[in-house]
């Protein structure tokens, strides 16, 4: 079906150089994040590190992400958004090399924290930039493409584990090289962008949180689910008798489902009430992960549920991103992007730590908190809206 006149105008009004820079940037960041979550968990588990310590190490990434929200704006006051993203990529490449160079657990806590600090560059600047560059009539579709790019990175990251193995640091080193090359390419691409987002102001964060509490809640829930599933599901599967390769493939299948689903969800977001779509994604997430707690890991059902579950929980964030651009602009938009980063970090810290502690007491309960957050969250969104 041909696009309407308003949609054609929206396509023209959208700054595609900005959209492209942000989408490629998030894809490469996701490769690094998608690799480090399962790889570090598997390595620590192989060294007989406790589930609680594995959860704490994953939380160090989120702590770095949240800390950078308070520091990065002052450090990058004189830089353009594209320059901030490229700097973050180069920092991530150096840190990935650090993981390849040392096996020291204390060093890995610092490296995980610093990696979160660098990754936050695209979460704060990139998402405000994406929404500022996008017309509202196509905002859902652009958000879907952005999320699909992020999911693509998450697929490539875990697939590096069967290719390079979990020992020797080769997977970390290969990812560092990739990130470095992309950083230089984005430095050229970002120069063509014609839209520049406003710089985030820390003082505006409390005001945004008061004005959009349910939007912040969506991102907290997504952070909780995302960090828990990515960091602890490999441990859950290997503990149930699966191989490391199967655990990594589980995450890859989950993210393949995300890639396929997010552009479709984006079209839905442009045609339906975006809050209703968000609530639907929350409910679907809860139901799917509830079923995952009881199905056998050696059947075909687990693969279907992996694809559907990943599609549903990433849809929470895709919906939140579209709602942010729909309801906020200017300084409120950049403050919202910064608040999203803090909310994601908060959920990401709570999720792995709480779930890791629960699993230490109730083995096999890895997906139970995810199911509770999804189902209760769907009810809260519907009730509070």
């Amino acid at each position: 079906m041909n696009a309407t006149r308003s949609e054609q105008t929206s396509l023209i009004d959208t700054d595609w150089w900005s959209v492209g820079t942000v989408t490629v940037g998030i894809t490469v960041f996701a490769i690094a994040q998608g690799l480090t979550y399962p790889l570090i968990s598997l390595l620590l588990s192989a060294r007989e590190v406790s589930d609680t310590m594995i959860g704490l190490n994953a939380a160090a990434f989120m702590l770095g992400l949240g800390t950078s929200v308070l520091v990065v704006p002052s450090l990058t006051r004189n830089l353009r958004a594209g320059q901030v993203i490229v700097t973050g990529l180069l920092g991530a490449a150096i840190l990935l090399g650090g993981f390849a160079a040392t096996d020291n657990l204390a060093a890995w806590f610092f490296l995980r924290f610093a990696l979160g600090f660098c990754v936050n560059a695209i979460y704060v600047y990139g998402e405000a930039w994406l929404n500022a560059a996008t017309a509202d009539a196509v905002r859902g579709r652009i958000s879907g493409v952005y999320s699909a790019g992020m999911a693509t990175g998450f697929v490539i990251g875990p697939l590096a584990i069967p290719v390079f193995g979990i020992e020797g640091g080769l997977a970390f080193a290969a990812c560092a090289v990739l990130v470095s090359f992309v950083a230089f390419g984005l430095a050229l691409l970002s120069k063509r962008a014609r839209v520049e987002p406003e710089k985030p102001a820390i003082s505006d964060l409390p005001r945004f949180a008061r004005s959009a509490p349910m939007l912040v809640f969506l991102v907290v829930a997504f952070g909780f689910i995302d960090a828990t599933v990515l960091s602890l599901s490999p441990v859950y599967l290997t503990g149930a008798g699966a191989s490391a390769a199967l655990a990594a493939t589980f995450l890859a299948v989950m993210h393949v489902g995300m890639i396929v689903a997010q552009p479709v969800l984006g079209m839905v977001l442009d045609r339906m009430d975006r809050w209703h779509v968000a609530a639907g994604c929350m409910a679907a997430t809860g139901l799917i992960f509830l079923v995952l707690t009881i199905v056998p890991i050696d059947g075909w059902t687990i693969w279907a549920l992996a694809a559907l579950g990943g599609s549903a929980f990433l849809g929470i964030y895709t919906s939140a991103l579209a709602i942010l651009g729909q309801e906020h602009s200017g300084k409120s938009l950049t403050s919202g992007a910064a608040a999203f980063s803090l909310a994601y970090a908060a959920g990401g810290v709570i999720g792995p730590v709480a779930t890791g502690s629960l699993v230490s007491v109730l083995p096999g309960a890895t997906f139970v908190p995810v199911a509770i957050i999804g189902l209760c969250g769907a009810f809260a969104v519907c009730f509070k809206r």
Side-chain angles (χ1 to χ4, degrees):
M1 185 174 61
N2 293 330
T4 64
R5 185 178 298 276
S6 63
E7 289 178 323
Q8 291 173 337
T9 302
S10 297
L11 292 173
I12 295 172
D13 290 342
T14 297
D15 181 2
W16 293 102
W17 290 108
S18 296
V19 170
T21 299
V22 174
T23 302
V24 173
I26 193 60
T27 301
V28 177
F29 270 125
I31 291 173
Q33 192 174 347
L35 170 71
T36 56
Y37 263 121
L39 180 55
I40 291 174
S41 295
L42 290 170
L43 284 168
L44 293 178
S45 180
R47 297 169 193 168
E48 299 184 347
V49 175
S50 69
D51 288 339
T52 300
M53 189 62 68
I54 293 172
L56 286 171
N57 188 261
F61 175 90
M62 294 298 177
L63 185 61
L65 193 149
T67 301
S68 68
V69 174
L70 307 176
V71 178
V72 167
S74 61
L75 294 178
T76 59
R77 188 174 293 111
N78 297 321
L79 298 178
R80 291 175 58 85
Q83 293 172 321
V84 175
I85 291 172
V86 169
T87 301
L89 281 168
L90 292 174
I94 294 170
L95 294 166
L96 287 166
F99 280 109
T102 180
D103 292 332
N104 182 272
L105 181 59
W108 278 22
F109 269 90
F110 169 77
L111 290 169
R112 202 81 181 268
F113 173 87
L115 186 62
F117 192 96
C118 291
V119 166
N120 188 60
I122 197 169
Y123 288 135
V124 173
Y125 286 89
E127 293 177 356
W129 193 7
L130 184 80
N131 266 313
T134 303
D136 191 63
V138 295
R139 192 178 307 282
R141 276 162 282 187
I142 297 298
S143 297
V145 170
Y146 171 86
S147 293
M150 181 163 56
T152 299
F154 282 130
V155 170
I156 296 172
L159 285 179
I161 296 174
V163 174
F164 296 106
I166 67 172
E167 298 292 346
L170 187 58
F172 288 122
C175 189
V177 172
L178 172 64
V179 171
S180 298
F181 276 115
V182 172
F184 287 111
L186 284 185
L188 300 175
L189 180 63
S190 64
K191 290 181 179 180
R192 293 179 171 268
R194 67 175 191 266
V195 173
E196 181 74 10
E198 294 190 36
K199 295 295 176 67
I202 301 304
S203 59
D204 291 333
L205 291 179
R207 184 181 303 112
F208 178 86
R210 288 192 298 269
S211 67
M214 290 308 300
L215 194 51
V216 172
F217 168 75
L218 284 178
V219 183
V220 171
F222 170 72
F224 184 106
I225 295 166
D226 187 47
T228 299
V229 171
L230 291 181
S231 61
L232 295 182
S233 61
V235 179
Y236 167 77
L237 291 169
T238 54
S243 65
L246 185 146
T249 305
F250 174 85
L251 291 180
V253 170
M254 181 176 289
H255 290 98
V256 168
M258 295 180 188
I259 295 171
V260 174
Q262 298 314 299
V264 176
L265 179 66
M267 290 188 287
V268 175
L269 285 165
D270 286 335
R271 288 167 170 77
M272 292 181 61
D273 183 285
R274 289 167 180 167
W275 280 104
H276 291 166
V277 177
C281 289
M282 291 282 283
T285 297
L287 289 171
I288 290 165
F289 281 93
L290 183 62
V291 175
L292 272 169
T293 63
I294 59 176
V295 298
I297 65 169
D298 56 354
W300 65 268
T301 310
I302 194 172
W303 304 113
L305 291 172
L308 292 172
S311 302
F313 83 71
L314 182 57
I316 299 169
Y317 193 74
T318 301
S319 301
L321 190 61
I323 294 168
L324 174 65
Q326 172 187 316
E327 299 184 353
H328 301 273
S329 61
K331 285 188 176 182
S332 181
L333 176 60
T334 52
S335 297
F340 270 26
S341 185
L342 279 176
Y344 177 75
V349 168
I350 296 168
V353 173
T355 304
S357 299
L358 175 65
V359 171
S360 297
V361 179
L362 297 173
T366 302
F367 296 138
V368 171
V370 172
I372 293 172
I373 289 290
L375 293 172
C376 294
F379 176 80
V381 171
C382 291
F383 180 76
K384 291 297 183 182
R385 291 297 299 174

